[in-house]
Amino acid sequence: MAVSDHPRMSDVAERAGVSLSTVSRALRGATGVAPSVRENVERAAAELGYVVSRGASGLVTGRTGRIAVLVPFLQPWFFGVALAGMSTEMRSSGRDMLVYQVGDVTELNAYIRSLPLRSNVDAVIAVALDLEEGEAARFDEIGVPVVFCSQRVKDRASVFIDNTEAAADAARHLLNLGHARIAYIQSSDETGFSWASHDRLRGYEAAMAEAGAAPLVVTERPGHEGGALGMGRLLSMADPPTAVFAESDDVAMGALQVVRRSRLEVPDVVSVMGFDDSDMAALADLTTVAQPVFDMGVQAARLAAETIDASEPCSEHVRLDTRLVVRRSTAVPRPTRSLTGR
Amino acid sequence: MAVSDHPRMSDVAERAGVSLSTVSRALRGATGVAPSVRENVERAAAELGYVVSRGASGLVTGRTGRIAVLVPFLQPWFFGVALAGMSTEMRSSGRDMLVYQVGDVTELNAYIRSLPLRSNVDAVIAVALDLEEGEAARFDEIGVPVVFCSQRVKDRASVFIDNTEAAADAARHLLNLGHARIAYIQSSDETGFSWASHDRLRGYEAAMAEAGAAPLVVTERPGHEGGALGMGRLLSMADPPTAVFAESDDVAMGALQVVRRSRLEVPDVVSVMGFDDSDMAALADLTTVAQPVFDMGVQAARLAAETIDASEPCSEHVRLDTRLVVRRSTAVPRPTRSLTGR
């Protein structure tokens, strides 16, 4: 067969050895096409120079084949890992991933406002944003389904972990090691987005109450600077805690740095517990709670795809498990009360 | 004015108090529209329920308003920071960012093969990929300009740092501190993508040769596992080096972990130098070479936008500066040759 200037879809079907409808479905990124078949069709189309006219497949299906992912930040490891999970899942269903950084509520509102104009996505995945009810409803009006990733939202598609239960387990681990004086370093929320901060604190407080131990909470700015400041405060107390539970690994890293710069030993002088199992945790030998971040991305993209294909609202809740990863930063407390053992 | 079922562009212009052409340019994301004006227009359009029909603006300009970013990975900090820079720049020019993870050459080829079918982008930014000449030329055939980010490519738009010169400077810093026996931990390339690895090694070797010092290179797998293995080998030598230069911070972190677990002191026993100034470097007190990663993202997105607007090939080379960040992991060598000073 000669390669014409304007090859038709039937030429692609013939070359790939599949039906017309398979070509159509493969090229517009519909589900239910095996990756190897899709690749065959794409190769045949590319070899023939067959080009789907822009928007043509969208005009047929009313769909764009694209999903938008909204993140408050792009730098932190969490978002890279979640995006990697989404990217993997979207590739397998032939969809494209648009990424928008909406660093504060103003930027988020600007994005939502511009959405009807862009008309460029079939669904939105909101990662670790805390959309208010009115903001979430805005998406409803314009007919774009939203899936929440790393946030549990009532009656809406959400993928999340149980931060409260996971934090309670982590605190119980420290209690079980024999610690009675366990501090918690909490981050103040300056971004307008509520993180899992609140739920984790609740878990810590519940476990302490359960054990009849007095909670000791210090609140500092977010990130490792806050962890350093919080640990500084704790090490300046008349009766410093023997264990510190930081609300995130990033906070824990700041706390660890202060302890190590002081040439105090972890866990001899103080046990340190994080939360997240970020890329730094293993390197810092930090005991922490591992979140299945990659899988959260996969599941969020899967929910988004299912919602698009079903053309109806989805309110499925996917709760993923966490696990405690014990490393060298936690141990039984020393009997002596002095920081240096002397 | 009553809000009609089908508001026209002139209604939007009237409400926003701008000209028709400004509305058109603002809504299709053309450059040269001030952000505040764009926001006014978007708000007016949203309030009126004015919807640009899908693809309509693209049919006029022949453009999609989208730029694709290809990355080999999404997890490492480098890509999150580069994407943040691109996202910031693209927002200001009203463009949307599609992100594709092409983890190996097979996935990259599949993306390139599918590009004519997608017809969905005006330009591609390839981040830290090492496209072969044939692969880069493929983009030319289909009329999509490519900008290379973190790679210097002859006669093509590229944003990069001078890895050779920066590594030579870093090695010279160790030489100037009085180190004579300086090892280099290099990562083998298993991914099919060549990183800056080769250029950095060349810089180290040049500085050593310049000083008349013998190079000592160990090659291990990539990442912190490789750094740990490399440091293990160096600490097992009859005459261990007094300083170690790791090709990346990630490798340096693995090396540091081995030293610290051995209860050897950094920098007393061995100085450690990294490269990148990743998010871990400051926390680990690691002396390193800082890359302007965010700015590389900004510049790559700017080049892509200029190329699209100019509708002609661009071969601008943007070389960004690095700087040595001295922290506590490097110092003058101790006079004694024993690891423990005893």
Side-chain angles (χ1 to χ4, degrees):
Chain A
M1 190 197 68
V3 175
S4 82
D5 281 345
H6 296 288
R8 293 165 307 167
M9 195 180 273
S10 57
D11 299 330
V12 178
E14 189 187 321
R15 191 178 188 101
V18 298
S19 71
L20 260 182
S21 77
T22 300
V23 173
S24 167
R25 280 158 60 229
L27 297 187
R28 69 186 151 86
T31 54
V33 181
S36 62
V37 172
R38 189 188 310 281
E39 203 175 303
N40 258 343
V41 171
E42 288 179 350
R43 189 183 302 115
E47 286 164 2
L48 291 170
Y50 176 78
V51 174
V52 179
S53 48
R54 179 172 299 126
S57 66
L59 293 174
V60 174
T61 64
R63 288 173 193 159
T64 65
R66 291 186 290 272
I67 295 174
V69 182
L70 308 188
V71 296
F73 310 102
L74 276 162
Q75 281 97 327
W77 70 278
F78 183 94
F79 299 97
V81 178
L83 286 175
M86 292 175 198
S87 172
T88 302
E89 176 68 16
M90 288 191 208
R91 179 205 313 284
S92 77
S93 72
R95 288 192 168 83
D96 294 325
M97 178 171 80
L98 284 160
V99 178
Y100 299 91
Q101 189 177 215
V102 288
D104 56 33
V105 172
T106 310
E107 289 180 6
L108 175 61
N109 286 334
Y111 173 79
I112 293 178
R113 219 167 36 236
S114 73
L115 201 57
L117 308 169
R118 306 182 107 106
S119 295
N120 61 354
V121 296
D122 301 328
V124 168
I125 299 174
V127 189
L129 303 184
D130 181 23
L131 287 190
E132 290 170 17
E133 195 46 40
E135 286 155 349
R138 186 74 183 269
F139 286 107
D140 295 344
E141 283 168 30
I142 56 182
V144 178
V146 185
V147 173
F148 293 89
C149 179
S150 194
Q151 190 189 354
R152 178 183 194 151
V153 185
K154 194 168 171 289
D155 297 334
R156 288 174 179 274
S158 315
V159 180
F160 53 85
I161 60 164
D162 188 332
N163 281 291
T164 305
E165 197 48 44
D169 286 347
R172 269 183 220 114
H173 179 69
L174 295 170
L175 289 159
N176 289 344
L177 287 174
H179 293 277
R181 200 157 161 72
I182 303 168
Y184 184 87
I185 306 181
Q186 182 200 27
S187 296
S188 58
D189 183 13
E190 292 171 351
T191 61
F193 295 112
S194 96
W195 287 68
S197 178
H198 178 253
D199 284 353
R200 293 179 189 176
L201 175 60
R202 232 160 30 101
Y204 158 80
E205 288 174 337
M208 294 294 278
E210 208 176 78
L216 169 58
V217 178
V218 294
T219 304
E220 291 290 347
R221 69 175 76 152
H224 50 85
E225 295 90 348
L229 291 168
M231 185 58 97
R233 279 172 62 184
L234 295 171
L235 290 178
S236 309
M237 296 179 74
D239 185 15
T242 59
V244 174
F245 181 10
E247 82 162 37
S248 71
D249 286 352
D250 205 18
V251 172
M253 292 299 294
L256 278 180
Q257 191 180 41
V258 162
V259 178
R260 288 182 175 156
R261 280 189 176 171
S262 312
R263 294 190 196 264
L264 297 171
E265 292 287 335
V266 172
D268 296 0
V269 172
V270 61
S271 286
V272 177
M273 166 84 74
F275 198 117
D276 285 337
D277 202 24
S278 76
D279 51 358
M280 291 183 272
L283 285 171
D285 284 331
L286 179 68
T287 297
T288 191
V289 178
Q291 292 202 56
V293 184
F294 186 89
D295 200 35
M296 285 172 74
V298 169
Q299 297 298 329
R302 182 187 60 76
L303 270 189
E306 285 179 9
T307 307
I308 295 165
D309 289 341
S311 298
E312 59 183 38
C314 160
S315 61
E316 188 179 339
H317 276 192
V318 179
R319 197 186 101 168
L320 298 177
D321 290 335
T322 57
R323 66 207 155 75
L324 189 70
V325 181
V326 178
R327 298 200 181 93
R328 301 177 189 205
S329 70
T330 49
V332 296
R334 285 192 317 185
T336 167
R337 292 171 60 91
S338 131
L339 283 183
T340 57
R342 282 189 287 263
Chain B
M1 189 197 71
V3 176
S4 82
D5 281 346
H6 295 288
R8 292 165 308 169
M9 196 181 273
S10 57
D11 299 330
V12 178
E14 190 186 322
R15 192 180 188 99
V18 298
S19 70
L20 260 182
S21 77
T22 299
V23 173
S24 168
R25 280 158 61 230
L27 296 188
R28 69 186 150 87
T31 53
V33 181
S36 63
V37 172
R38 188 188 310 282
E39 202 175 301
N40 258 343
V41 171
E42 288 179 350
R43 189 183 302 116
E47 285 164 2
L48 291 169
Y50 176 78
V51 175
V52 180
S53 50
R54 180 173 300 127
S57 66
L59 293 174
V60 174
T61 64
R63 289 175 191 155
T64 64
R66 291 185 291 271
I67 295 174
V69 181
L70 308 189
V71 296
F73 311 103
L74 276 162
Q75 281 97 328
W77 71 278
F78 184 94
F79 299 97
V81 178
L83 287 175
M86 292 175 198
S87 171
T88 303
E89 176 68 15
M90 288 192 208
R91 180 205 312 284
S92 77
S93 72
R95 288 191 168 83
D96 294 324
M97 178 171 80
L98 285 160
V99 178
Y100 299 91
Q101 190 177 216
V102 289
D104 57 33
V105 172
T106 310
E107 289 180 5
L108 176 60
N109 286 334
Y111 173 79
I112 293 178
R113 216 165 41 233
S114 74
L115 200 57
L117 308 169
R118 307 182 107 106
S119 296
N120 61 355
V121 296
D122 301 328
V124 168
I125 300 174
V127 188
L129 303 184
D130 182 22
L131 289 189
E132 290 169 19
E133 196 45 42
E135 286 156 347
R138 186 74 183 269
F139 286 107
D140 294 345
E141 283 168 30
I142 56 181
V144 179
V146 186
V147 172
F148 293 90
C149 179
S150 194
Q151 191 189 353
R152 178 184 195 151
V153 184
K154 194 166 170 289
D155 298 334
R156 289 176 177 273
S158 315
V159 180
F160 53 86
I161 59 164
D162 188 332
N163 281 290
T164 305
E165 196 48 44
D169 286 348
R172 270 183 219 113
H173 180 70
L174 295 170
L175 288 160
N176 289 344
L177 286 174
H179 293 278
R181 199 156 163 74
I182 304 168
Y184 185 86
I185 306 181
Q186 181 200 29
S187 297
S188 58
D189 184 11
E190 293 172 351
T191 60
F193 296 110
S194 94
W195 288 68
S197 178
H198 178 253
D199 283 354
R200 294 180 188 175
L201 175 60
R202 232 161 27 104
Y204 158 79
E205 288 175 337
M208 294 294 278
E210 207 176 80
L216 169 59
V217 178
V218 294
T219 304
E220 291 290 347
R221 69 174 77 152
H224 50 84
E225 294 91 348
L229 292 168
M231 185 57 96
R233 278 171 64 184
L234 295 170
L235 290 179
S236 310
M237 296 178 74
D239 185 14
T242 59
V244 173
F245 181 10
E247 82 161 39
S248 72
D249 287 352
D250 205 18
V251 172
M253 292 299 295
L256 279 179
Q257 191 179 42
V258 162
V259 178
R260 288 182 174 158
R261 280 190 176 170
S262 312
R263 293 189 196 266
L264 296 172
E265 293 286 336
V266 172
D268 295 0
V269 173
V270 61
S271 286
V272 177
M273 166 84 75
F275 197 117
D276 285 338
D277 202 23
S278 75
D279 51 358
M280 290 183 274
L283 284 171
D285 284 332
L286 180 67
T287 297
T288 190
V289 177
Q291 293 201 56
V293 183
F294 186 89
D295 200 33
M296 286 173 74
V298 169
Q299 296 298 329
R302 184 188 58 76
L303 270 190
E306 285 179 10
T307 307
I308 294 166
D309 289 341
S311 298
E312 59 184 37
C314 161
S315 59
E316 189 179 338
H317 276 191
V318 179
R319 196 187 102 167
L320 298 177
D321 289 334
T322 57
R323 65 205 157 76
L324 188 70
V325 180
V326 178
R327 298 201 180 93
R328 302 177 188 205
S329 70
T330 49
V332 296
R334 283 192 317 184
T336 168
R337 292 171 59 93
S338 130
L339 284 181
T340 58
R342 282 189 286 264

